[in-house]
PDB file of all heavy atoms in Angstrom:
ATOM      1  N   ASN A   1      -0.711  -3.998  15.140  1.00 96.00           N
ATOM      2  CA  ASN A   1       0.199  -3.294  16.066  1.00 96.00           C
ATOM      3  C   ASN A   1      -0.334  -3.194  17.489  1.00 96.00           C
ATOM      4  O   ASN A   1       0.315  -2.592  18.349  1.00 96.00           O
ATOM      5  CB  ASN A   1       0.575  -1.892  15.561  1.00 96.00           C
ATOM      6  CG  ASN A   1       1.779  -1.917  14.637  1.00 96.00           C
ATOM      7  OD1 ASN A   1       2.641  -2.786  14.753  1.00 96.00           O
ATOM      8  ND2 ASN A   1       1.850  -0.972  13.715  1.00 96.00           N
ATOM      9  N   ASP A   2      -1.484  -3.793  17.761  1.00 96.00           N
ATOM     10  CA  ASP A   2      -2.001  -3.798  19.137  1.00 96.00           C
ATOM     11  C   ASP A   2      -1.312  -4.872  19.967  1.00 96.00           C
ATOM     12  O   ASP A   2      -0.955  -5.941  19.459  1.00 96.00           O
ATOM     13  CB  ASP A   2      -3.509  -4.048  19.154  1.00 96.00           C
ATOM     14  CG  ASP A   2      -4.307  -2.787  18.835  1.00 96.00           C
ATOM     15  OD1 ASP A   2      -3.693  -1.704  18.773  1.00 96.00           O
ATOM     16  OD2 ASP A   2      -5.535  -2.896  18.655  1.00 96.00           O
ATOM     17  N   VAL A   3      -1.133  -4.566  21.249  1.00 96.00           N
ATOM     18  CA  VAL A   3      -0.642  -5.540  22.227  1.00 96.00           C
ATOM     19  C   VAL A   3      -1.772  -5.854  23.188  1.00 96.00           C
ATOM     20  O   VAL A   3      -2.414  -4.945  23.733  1.00 96.00           O
ATOM     21  CB  VAL A   3       0.571  -4.993  23.007  1.00 96.00           C
ATOM     22  CG1 VAL A   3       0.951  -5.935  24.148  1.00 96.00           C
ATOM     23  CG2 VAL A   3       1.763  -4.804  22.077  1.00 96.00           C
ATOM     24  N   LEU A   4      -2.046  -7.142  23.382  1.00 96.00           N
ATOM     25  CA  LEU A   4      -3.026  -7.597  24.363  1.00 96.00           C
ATOM     26  C   LEU A   4      -2.295  -8.398  25.426  1.00 96.00           C
ATOM     27  O   LEU A   4      -1.422  -9.212  25.112  1.00 96.00           O
ATOM     28  CB  LEU A   4      -4.108  -8.467  23.712  1.00 96.00           C
ATOM     29  CG  LEU A   4      -5.256  -7.749  22.975  1.00 96.00           C
ATOM     30  CD1 LEU A   4      -4.758  -7.012  21.739  1.00 96.00           C
ATOM     31  CD2 LEU A   4      -6.354  -8.753  22.598  1.00 96.00           C
ATOM     32  N   SER A   5      -2.635  -8.157  26.676  1.00 95.00           N
ATOM     33  CA  SER A   5      -1.988  -8.897  27.765  1.00 95.00           C
ATOM     34  C   SER A   5      -2.977  -9.086  28.904  1.00 95.00           C
ATOM     35  O   SER A   5      -4.025  -8.433  28.959  1.00 95.00           O
ATOM     36  CB  SER A   5      -0.743  -8.149  28.263  1.00 95.00           C
ATOM     37  OG  SER A   5      -1.090  -6.869  28.767  1.00 95.00           O
ATOM     38  N   VAL A   6      -2.627  -9.983  29.835  1.00 95.00           N
ATOM     39  CA  VAL A   6      -3.497 -10.213  30.983  1.00 95.00           C
ATOM     40  C   VAL A   6      -3.567  -8.941  31.824  1.00 95.00           C
ATOM     41  O   VAL A   6      -2.658  -8.094  31.773  1.00 95.00           O
ATOM     42  CB  VAL A   6      -2.996 -11.403  31.822  1.00 95.00           C
ATOM     43  CG1 VAL A   6      -3.114 -12.693  31.023  1.00 95.00           C
ATOM     44  CG2 VAL A   6      -1.562 -11.186  32.282  1.00 95.00           C
ATOM     45  N   PRO A   7      -4.631  -8.732  32.573  1.00 94.00           N
ATOM     46  CA  PRO A   7      -4.854  -7.454  33.267  1.00 94.00           C
ATOM     47  C   PRO A   7      -3.698  -6.979  34.143  1.00 94.00           C
ATOM     48  O   PRO A   7      -3.437  -5.779  34.219  1.00 94.00           O
ATOM     49  CB  PRO A   7      -6.106  -7.738  34.103  1.00 94.00           C
ATOM     50  CG  PRO A   7      -6.853  -8.774  33.316  1.00 94.00           C
ATOM     51  CD  PRO A   7      -5.790  -9.649  32.722  1.00 94.00           C
ATOM     52  N   ASN A   8      -2.983  -7.891  34.790  1.00 92.00           N
ATOM     53  CA  ASN A   8      -1.922  -7.470  35.721  1.00 92.00           C
ATOM     54  C   ASN A   8      -0.547  -7.346  35.046  1.00 92.00           C
ATOM     55  O   ASN A   8       0.476  -7.281  35.720  1.00 92.00           O
ATOM     56  CB  ASN A   8      -1.823  -8.464  36.881  1.00 92.00           C
ATOM     57  CG  ASN A   8      -1.445  -9.866  36.422  1.00 92.00           C
ATOM     58  OD1 ASN A   8      -1.537 -10.177  35.241  1.00 92.00           O
ATOM     59  ND2 ASN A   8      -1.036 -10.704  37.362  1.00 92.00           N
ATOM     60  N   TYR A   9      -0.538  -7.295  33.708  1.00 93.00           N
ATOM     61  CA  TYR A   9       0.731  -7.204  32.980  1.00 93.00           C
ATOM     62  C   TYR A   9       0.615  -6.108  31.910  1.00 93.00           C
ATOM     63  O   TYR A   9       0.484  -6.377  30.719  1.00 93.00           O
ATOM     64  CB  TYR A   9       1.052  -8.560  32.336  1.00 93.00           C
ATOM     65  CG  TYR A   9       2.479  -8.702  31.840  1.00 93.00           C
ATOM     66  CD1 TYR A   9       3.574  -8.346  32.634  1.00 93.00           C
ATOM     67  CD2 TYR A   9       2.738  -9.217  30.572  1.00 93.00           C
ATOM     68  CE1 TYR A   9       4.871  -8.493  32.176  1.00 93.00           C
ATOM     69  CE2 TYR A   9       4.037  -9.372  30.103  1.00 93.00           C
ATOM     70  CZ  TYR A   9       5.100  -9.005  30.915  1.00 93.00           C
ATOM     71  OH  TYR A   9       6.395  -9.153  30.454  1.00 93.00           O
ATOM     72  N   PRO A  10       0.701  -4.841  32.324  1.00 93.00           N
ATOM     73  CA  PRO A  10       0.431  -3.711  31.410  1.00 93.00           C
ATOM     74  C   PRO A  10       1.640  -3.347  30.544  1.00 93.00           C
ATOM     75  O   PRO A  10       2.359  -2.387  30.818  1.00 93.00           O
ATOM     76  CB  PRO A  10       0.084  -2.574  32.373  1.00 93.00           C
ATOM     77  CG  PRO A  10       0.911  -2.864  33.589  1.00 93.00           C
ATOM     78  CD  PRO A  10       0.975  -4.369  33.707  1.00 93.00           C
ATOM     79  N   ILE A  11       1.884  -4.104  29.465  1.00 93.00           N
ATOM     80  CA  ILE A  11       3.064  -3.837  28.620  1.00 93.00           C
ATOM     81  C   ILE A  11       2.648  -3.512  27.194  1.00 93.00           C
ATOM     82  O   ILE A  11       1.534  -3.811  26.754  1.00 93.00           O
ATOM     83  CB  ILE A  11       4.039  -5.033  28.597  1.00 93.00           C
ATOM     84  CG1 ILE A  11       3.406  -6.231  27.864  1.00 93.00           C
ATOM     85  CG2 ILE A  11       4.499  -5.394  29.982  1.00 93.00           C
ATOM     86  CD1 ILE A  11       4.406  -7.239  27.362  1.00 93.00           C
ATOM     87  N   THR A  12       3.572  -2.888  26.489  1.00 94.00           N
ATOM     88  CA  THR A  12       3.444  -2.710  25.053  1.00 94.00           C
ATOM     89  C   THR A  12       4.846  -2.791  24.453  1.00 94.00           C
ATOM     90  O   THR A  12       5.839  -2.797  25.188  1.00 94.00           O
ATOM     91  CB  THR A  12       2.772  -1.371  24.704  1.00 94.00           C
ATOM     92  OG1 THR A  12       2.514  -1.324  23.297  1.00 94.00           O
ATOM     93  CG2 THR A  12       3.659  -0.196  25.089  1.00 94.00           C
ATOM     94  N   ILE A  13       4.938  -2.896  23.139  1.00 93.00           N
ATOM     95  CA  ILE A  13       6.238  -2.959  22.460  1.00 93.00           C
ATOM     96  C   ILE A  13       6.220  -1.990  21.280  1.00 93.00           C
ATOM     97  O   ILE A  13       5.170  -1.446  20.919  1.00 93.00           O
ATOM     98  CB  ILE A  13       6.579  -4.383  21.970  1.00 93.00           C
ATOM     99  CG1 ILE A  13       5.585  -4.829  20.885  1.00 93.00           C
ATOM    100  CG2 ILE A  13       6.608  -5.368  23.120  1.00 93.00           C
ATOM    101  CD1 ILE A  13       5.979  -6.109  20.174  1.00 93.00           C
ATOM    102  N   ASP A  14       7.392  -1.773  20.693  1.00 92.00           N
ATOM    103  CA  ASP A  14       7.460  -0.901  19.523  1.00 92.00           C
ATOM    104  C   ASP A  14       6.634  -1.499  18.385  1.00 92.00           C
ATOM    105  O   ASP A  14       6.691  -2.703  18.127  1.00 92.00           O
ATOM    106  CB  ASP A  14       8.906  -0.729  19.054  1.00 92.00           C
ATOM    107  CG  ASP A  14       9.719   0.139  20.006  1.00 92.00           C
ATOM    108  OD1 ASP A  14       9.117   1.020  20.651  1.00 92.00           O
ATOM    109  OD2 ASP A  14      10.945  -0.069  20.107  1.00 92.00           O
ATOM    110  N   PRO A  15       5.878  -0.667  17.690  1.00 95.00           N
ATOM    111  CA  PRO A  15       5.047  -1.167  16.585  1.00 95.00           C
ATOM    112  C   PRO A  15       5.870  -1.460  15.341  1.00 95.00           C
ATOM    113  O   PRO A  15       7.037  -1.075  15.234  1.00 95.00           O
ATOM    114  CB  PRO A  15       4.077   0.001  16.333  1.00 95.00           C
ATOM    115  CG  PRO A  15       4.876   1.215  16.720  1.00 95.00           C
ATOM    116  CD  PRO A  15       5.723   0.778  17.891  1.00 95.00           C
ATOM    117  N   ILE A  16       5.256  -2.132  14.391  1.00 95.00           N
ATOM    118  CA  ILE A  16       5.858  -2.316  13.072  1.00 95.00           C
ATOM    119  C   ILE A  16       5.940  -0.948  12.399  1.00 95.00           C
ATOM    120  O   ILE A  16       4.972  -0.200  12.373  1.00 95.00           O
ATOM    121  CB  ILE A  16       5.005  -3.261  12.209  1.00 95.00           C
ATOM    122  CG1 ILE A  16       4.788  -4.599  12.916  1.00 95.00           C
ATOM    123  CG2 ILE A  16       5.651  -3.486  10.839  1.00 95.00           C
ATOM    124  CD1 ILE A  16       3.686  -5.439  12.289  1.00 95.00           C
ATOM    125  N   LYS A  17       7.095  -0.616  11.860  1.00 92.00           N
ATOM    126  CA  LYS A  17       7.250   0.643  11.137  1.00 92.00           C
ATOM    127  C   LYS A  17       6.987   0.392   9.654  1.00 92.00           C
ATOM    128  O   LYS A  17       7.861  -0.032   8.917  1.00 92.00           O
ATOM    129  CB  LYS A  17       8.652   1.212  11.353  1.00 92.00           C
ATOM    130  CG  LYS A  17       8.907   1.632  12.794  1.00 92.00           C
ATOM    131  CD  LYS A  17      10.317   2.206  12.966  1.00 92.00           C
ATOM    132  CE  LYS A  17      10.540   2.623  14.412  1.00 92.00           C
ATOM    133  NZ  LYS A  17      11.919   3.154  14.623  1.00 92.00           N
ATOM    134  N   PHE A  18       5.753   0.637   9.270  1.00 93.00           N
ATOM    135  CA  PHE A  18       5.370   0.405   7.884  1.00 93.00           C
ATOM    136  C   PHE A  18       5.855   1.546   6.990  1.00 93.00           C
ATOM    137  O   PHE A  18       5.946   2.694   7.418  1.00 93.00           O
ATOM    138  CB  PHE A  18       3.851   0.279   7.762  1.00 93.00           C
ATOM    139  CG  PHE A  18       3.297  -0.995   8.337  1.00 93.00           C
ATOM    140  CD1 PHE A  18       2.649  -1.001   9.559  1.00 93.00           C
ATOM    141  CD2 PHE A  18       3.424  -2.190   7.654  1.00 93.00           C
ATOM    142  CE1 PHE A  18       2.137  -2.166  10.098  1.00 93.00           C
ATOM    143  CE2 PHE A  18       2.918  -3.364   8.178  1.00 93.00           C
ATOM    144  CZ  PHE A  18       2.270  -3.355   9.405  1.00 93.00           C
ATOM    145  N   SER A  19       6.145   1.215   5.751  1.00 88.00           N
ATOM    146  CA  SER A  19       6.565   2.223   4.780  1.00 88.00           C
ATOM    147  C   SER A  19       5.457   3.234   4.558  1.00 88.00           C
ATOM    148  O   SER A  19       4.268   2.886   4.557  1.00 88.00           O
ATOM    149  CB  SER A  19       6.925   1.561   3.447  1.00 88.00           C
ATOM    150  OG  SER A  19       8.040   0.716   3.588  1.00 88.00           O
ATOM    151  N   GLN A  20       5.856   4.494   4.366  1.00 87.00           N
ATOM    152  CA  GLN A  20       4.891   5.551   4.089  1.00 87.00           C
ATOM    153  C   GLN A  20       4.439   5.485   2.632  1.00 87.00           C
ATOM    154  O   GLN A  20       5.207   5.137   1.744  1.00 87.00           O
ATOM    155  CB  GLN A  20       5.513   6.917   4.370  1.00 87.00           C
ATOM    156  CG  GLN A  20       5.753   7.186   5.849  1.00 87.00           C
ATOM    157  CD  GLN A  20       4.448   7.321   6.624  1.00 87.00           C
ATOM    158  OE1 GLN A  20       3.560   8.062   6.239  1.00 87.00           O
ATOM    159  NE2 GLN A  20       4.344   6.588   7.716  1.00 87.00           N
ATOM    160  N   SER A  21       3.189   5.831   2.411  1.00 90.00           N
ATOM    161  CA  SER A  21       2.611   5.792   1.073  1.00 90.00           C
ATOM    162  C   SER A  21       2.474   7.207   0.525  1.00 90.00           C
ATOM    163  O   SER A  21       1.799   8.048   1.128  1.00 90.00           O
ATOM    164  CB  SER A  21       1.236   5.118   1.110  1.00 90.00           C
ATOM    165  OG  SER A  21       1.344   3.793   1.591  1.00 90.00           O
ATOM    166  N   TYR A  22       3.120   7.451  -0.618  1.00 91.00           N
ATOM    167  CA  TYR A  22       3.060   8.771  -1.247  1.00 91.00           C
ATOM    168  C   TYR A  22       2.502   8.729  -2.661  1.00 91.00           C
ATOM    169  O   TYR A  22       2.209   9.775  -3.235  1.00 91.00           O
ATOM    170  CB  TYR A  22       4.463   9.396  -1.285  1.00 91.00           C
ATOM    171  CG  TYR A  22       5.064   9.616   0.084  1.00 91.00           C
ATOM    172  CD1 TYR A  22       6.129   8.845   0.534  1.00 91.00           C
ATOM    173  CD2 TYR A  22       4.563  10.595   0.939  1.00 91.00           C
ATOM    174  CE1 TYR A  22       6.683   9.045   1.792  1.00 91.00           C
ATOM    175  CE2 TYR A  22       5.106  10.805   2.190  1.00 91.00           C
ATOM    176  CZ  TYR A  22       6.173  10.029   2.606  1.00 91.00           C
ATOM    177  OH  TYR A  22       6.711  10.231   3.858  1.00 91.00           O
ATOM    178  N   TYR A  23       2.365   7.534  -3.228  1.00 92.00           N
ATOM    179  CA  TYR A  23       1.810   7.432  -4.580  1.00 92.00           C
ATOM    180  C   TYR A  23       0.295   7.429  -4.476  1.00 92.00           C
ATOM    181  O   TYR A  23      -0.291   6.535  -3.855  1.00 92.00           O
ATOM    182  CB  TYR A  23       2.289   6.156  -5.273  1.00 92.00           C
ATOM    183  CG  TYR A  23       1.730   5.999  -6.668  1.00 92.00           C
ATOM    184  CD1 TYR A  23       2.328   6.651  -7.737  1.00 92.00           C
ATOM    185  CD2 TYR A  23       0.602   5.241  -6.914  1.00 92.00           C
ATOM    186  CE1 TYR A  23       1.816   6.532  -9.022  1.00 92.00           C
ATOM    187  CE2 TYR A  23       0.076   5.101  -8.183  1.00 92.00           C
ATOM    188  CZ  TYR A  23       0.689   5.758  -9.231  1.00 92.00           C
ATOM    189  OH  TYR A  23       0.169   5.638 -10.497  1.00 92.00           O
ATOM    190  N   GLY A  24      -0.340   8.429  -5.076  1.00 93.00           N
ATOM    191  CA  GLY A  24      -1.778   8.556  -4.916  1.00 93.00           C
ATOM    192  C   GLY A  24      -2.535   8.687  -6.221  1.00 93.00           C
ATOM    193  O   GLY A  24      -2.015   9.181  -7.224  1.00 93.00           O
ATOM    194  N   GLN A  25      -3.773   8.235  -6.192  1.00 94.00           N
ATOM    195  CA  GLN A  25      -4.725   8.467  -7.264  1.00 94.00           C
ATOM    196  C   GLN A  25      -6.109   8.637  -6.647  1.00 94.00           C
ATOM    197  O   GLN A  25      -6.381   8.146  -5.544  1.00 94.00           O
ATOM    198  CB  GLN A  25      -4.730   7.315  -8.271  1.00 94.00           C
ATOM    199  CG  GLN A  25      -3.480   7.255  -9.153  1.00 94.00           C
ATOM    200  CD  GLN A  25      -3.667   6.352 -10.351  1.00 94.00           C
ATOM    201  OE1 GLN A  25      -3.708   5.139 -10.223  1.00 94.00           O
ATOM    202  NE2 GLN A  25      -3.781   6.952 -11.524  1.00 94.00           N
ATOM    203  N   ALA A  26      -6.954   9.348  -7.374  1.00 94.00           N
ATOM    204  CA  ALA A  26      -8.328   9.521  -6.907  1.00 94.00           C
ATOM    205  C   ALA A  26      -9.133   8.277  -7.269  1.00 94.00           C
ATOM    206  O   ALA A  26      -8.983   7.731  -8.364  1.00 94.00           O
ATOM    207  CB  ALA A  26      -8.943  10.762  -7.527  1.00 94.00           C
ATOM    208  N   ILE A  27      -9.957   7.848  -6.357  1.00 92.00           N
ATOM    209  CA  ILE A  27     -10.765   6.658  -6.584  1.00 92.00           C
ATOM    210  C   ILE A  27     -12.223   7.092  -6.734  1.00 92.00           C
ATOM    211  O   ILE A  27     -12.740   7.862  -5.930  1.00 92.00           O
ATOM    212  CB  ILE A  27     -10.580   5.640  -5.436  1.00 92.00           C
ATOM    213  CG1 ILE A  27     -11.252   4.316  -5.757  1.00 92.00           C
ATOM    214  CG2 ILE A  27     -11.038   6.195  -4.097  1.00 92.00           C
ATOM    215  CD1 ILE A  27     -10.844   3.181  -4.830  1.00 92.00           C
ATOM    216  N   LYS A  28     -12.840   6.627  -7.800  1.00 90.00           N
ATOM    217  CA  LYS A  28     -14.180   7.098  -8.146  1.00 90.00           C
ATOM    218  C   LYS A  28     -15.116   5.913  -8.351  1.00 90.00           C
ATOM    219  O   LYS A  28     -14.894   5.079  -9.237  1.00 90.00           O
ATOM    220  CB  LYS A  28     -14.116   7.941  -9.422  1.00 90.00           C
ATOM    221  CG  LYS A  28     -15.417   8.636  -9.781  1.00 90.00           C
ATOM    222  CD  LYS A  28     -15.223   9.522 -11.014  1.00 90.00           C
ATOM    223  CE  LYS A  28     -16.506  10.260 -11.360  1.00 90.00           C
ATOM    224  NZ  LYS A  28     -16.325  11.134 -12.545  1.00 90.00           N
ATOM    225  N   PRO A  29     -16.157   5.789  -7.512  1.00 87.00           N
ATOM    226  CA  PRO A  29     -17.113   4.693  -7.691  1.00 87.00           C
ATOM    227  C   PRO A  29     -17.827   4.802  -9.037  1.00 87.00           C
ATOM    228  O   PRO A  29     -18.127   5.895  -9.511  1.00 87.00           O
ATOM    229  CB  PRO A  29     -18.097   4.885  -6.537  1.00 87.00           C
ATOM    230  CG  PRO A  29     -17.411   5.794  -5.573  1.00 87.00           C
ATOM    231  CD  PRO A  29     -16.497   6.654  -6.380  1.00 87.00           C
ATOM    232  N   VAL A  30     -18.077   3.654  -9.652  1.00 88.00           N
ATOM    233  CA  VAL A  30     -18.796   3.620 -10.918  1.00 88.00           C
ATOM    234  C   VAL A  30     -20.253   3.300 -10.621  1.00 88.00           C
ATOM    235  O   VAL A  30     -20.602   2.167 -10.293  1.00 88.00           O
ATOM    236  CB  VAL A  30     -18.193   2.559 -11.868  1.00 88.00           C
ATOM    237  CG1 VAL A  30     -18.987   2.515 -13.174  1.00 88.00           C
ATOM    238  CG2 VAL A  30     -16.729   2.848 -12.139  1.00 88.00           C
ATOM    239  N   GLY A  31     -21.103   4.310 -10.678  1.00 82.00           N
ATOM    240  CA  GLY A  31     -22.524   4.097 -10.424  1.00 82.00           C
ATOM    241  C   GLY A  31     -22.921   4.449  -9.007  1.00 82.00           C
ATOM    242  O   GLY A  31     -22.129   4.404  -8.067  1.00 82.00           O
ATOM    243  N   LYS A  32     -24.176   4.818  -8.839  1.00 78.00           N
ATOM    244  CA  LYS A  32     -24.710   5.263  -7.550  1.00 78.00           C
ATOM    245  C   LYS A  32     -24.634   4.171  -6.491  1.00 78.00           C
ATOM    246  O   LYS A  32     -24.309   4.432  -5.329  1.00 78.00           O
ATOM    247  CB  LYS A  32     -26.167   5.713  -7.741  1.00 78.00           C
ATOM    248  CG  LYS A  32     -26.810   6.312  -6.506  1.00 78.00           C
ATOM    249  CD  LYS A  32     -26.194   7.649  -6.142  1.00 78.00           C
ATOM    250  CE  LYS A  32     -26.922   8.292  -4.967  1.00 78.00           C
ATOM    251  NZ  LYS A  32     -26.313   9.583  -4.562  1.00 78.00           N
ATOM    252  N   ALA A  33     -24.921   2.945  -6.872  1.00 76.00           N
ATOM    253  CA  ALA A  33     -24.923   1.842  -5.900  1.00 76.00           C
ATOM    254  C   ALA A  33     -23.551   1.657  -5.276  1.00 76.00           C
ATOM    255  O   ALA A  33     -23.422   1.393  -4.078  1.00 76.00           O
ATOM    256  CB  ALA A  33     -25.379   0.550  -6.575  1.00 76.00           C
ATOM    257  N   ASN A  34     -22.507   1.810  -6.079  1.00 79.00           N
ATOM    258  CA  ASN A  34     -21.149   1.642  -5.567  1.00 79.00           C
ATOM    259  C   ASN A  34     -20.742   2.782  -4.641  1.00 79.00           C
ATOM    260  O   ASN A  34     -19.919   2.597  -3.754  1.00 79.00           O
ATOM    261  CB  ASN A  34     -20.163   1.529  -6.730  1.00 79.00           C
ATOM    262  CG  ASN A  34     -20.319   0.213  -7.488  1.00 79.00           C
ATOM    263  OD1 ASN A  34     -20.517  -0.833  -6.889  1.00 79.00           O
ATOM    264  ND2 ASN A  34     -20.245   0.273  -8.806  1.00 79.00           N
ATOM    265  N   GLU A  35     -21.287   3.985  -4.847  1.00 78.00           N
ATOM    266  CA  GLU A  35     -20.982   5.117  -3.983  1.00 78.00           C
ATOM    267  C   GLU A  35     -21.386   4.824  -2.541  1.00 78.00           C
ATOM    268  O   GLU A  35     -20.715   5.226  -1.597  1.00 78.00           O
ATOM    269  CB  GLU A  35     -21.719   6.371  -4.474  1.00 78.00           C
ATOM    270  CG  GLU A  35     -21.148   6.970  -5.741  1.00 78.00           C
ATOM    271  CD  GLU A  35     -21.884   8.231  -6.151  1.00 78.00           C
ATOM    272  OE1 GLU A  35     -22.627   8.777  -5.308  1.00 78.00           O
ATOM    273  OE2 GLU A  35     -21.730   8.666  -7.300  1.00 78.00           O
ATOM    274  N   GLU A  36     -22.479   4.135  -2.370  1.00 76.00           N
ATOM    275  CA  GLU A  36     -23.002   3.857  -1.033  1.00 76.00           C
ATOM    276  C   GLU A  36     -22.216   2.760  -0.327  1.00 76.00           C
ATOM    277  O   GLU A  36     -22.163   2.717   0.901  1.00 76.00           O
ATOM    278  CB  GLU A  36     -24.482   3.468  -1.130  1.00 76.00           C
ATOM    279  CG  GLU A  36     -25.357   4.581  -1.719  1.00 76.00           C
ATOM    280  CD  GLU A  36     -26.773   4.114  -2.006  1.00 76.00           C
ATOM    281  OE1 GLU A  36     -27.036   2.893  -1.843  1.00 76.00           O
ATOM    282  OE2 GLU A  36     -27.613   4.958  -2.394  1.00 76.00           O
ATOM    283  N   LYS A  37     -21.575   1.868  -1.094  1.00 82.00           N
ATOM    284  CA  LYS A  37     -20.899   0.717  -0.484  1.00 82.00           C
ATOM    285  C   LYS A  37     -19.400   0.900  -0.307  1.00 82.00           C
ATOM    286  O   LYS A  37     -18.775   0.151   0.445  1.00 82.00           O
ATOM    287  CB  LYS A  37     -21.148  -0.533  -1.343  1.00 82.00           C
ATOM    288  CG  LYS A  37     -22.604  -0.950  -1.458  1.00 82.00           C
ATOM    289  CD  LYS A  37     -22.755  -2.266  -2.193  1.00 82.00           C
ATOM    290  CE  LYS A  37     -22.356  -2.155  -3.652  1.00 82.00           C
ATOM    291  NZ  LYS A  37     -22.561  -3.410  -4.412  1.00 82.00           N
ATOM    292  N   ILE A  38     -18.814   1.889  -0.983  1.00 87.00           N
ATOM    293  CA  ILE A  38     -17.355   1.953  -1.051  1.00 87.00           C
ATOM    294  C   ILE A  38     -16.716   2.288   0.285  1.00 87.00           C
ATOM    295  O   ILE A  38     -15.633   1.800   0.614  1.00 87.00           O
ATOM    296  CB  ILE A  38     -16.893   2.962  -2.127  1.00 87.00           C
ATOM    297  CG1 ILE A  38     -15.383   2.823  -2.341  1.00 87.00           C
ATOM    298  CG2 ILE A  38     -17.277   4.391  -1.752  1.00 87.00           C
ATOM    299  CD1 ILE A  38     -14.859   3.602  -3.511  1.00 87.00           C
ATOM    300  N   SER A  39     -17.360   3.104   1.093  1.00 85.00           N
ATOM    301  CA  SER A  39     -16.758   3.545   2.354  1.00 85.00           C
ATOM    302  C   SER A  39     -16.453   2.369   3.277  1.00 85.00           C
ATOM    303  O   SER A  39     -15.349   2.250   3.808  1.00 85.00           O
ATOM    304  CB  SER A  39     -17.680   4.545   3.054  1.00 85.00           C
ATOM    305  OG  SER A  39     -17.116   4.966   4.268  1.00 85.00           O
TER     306      SER A  39
END
């Protein structure tokens, strides 16, 4: 959704309107090693 343009042309456009996410679950790393890498 970023707009890049040459310095003397300061424009932007409407972003993509992505669907909202409401379906959730908790995510749990399996093992200590995975806890450190998941972020």
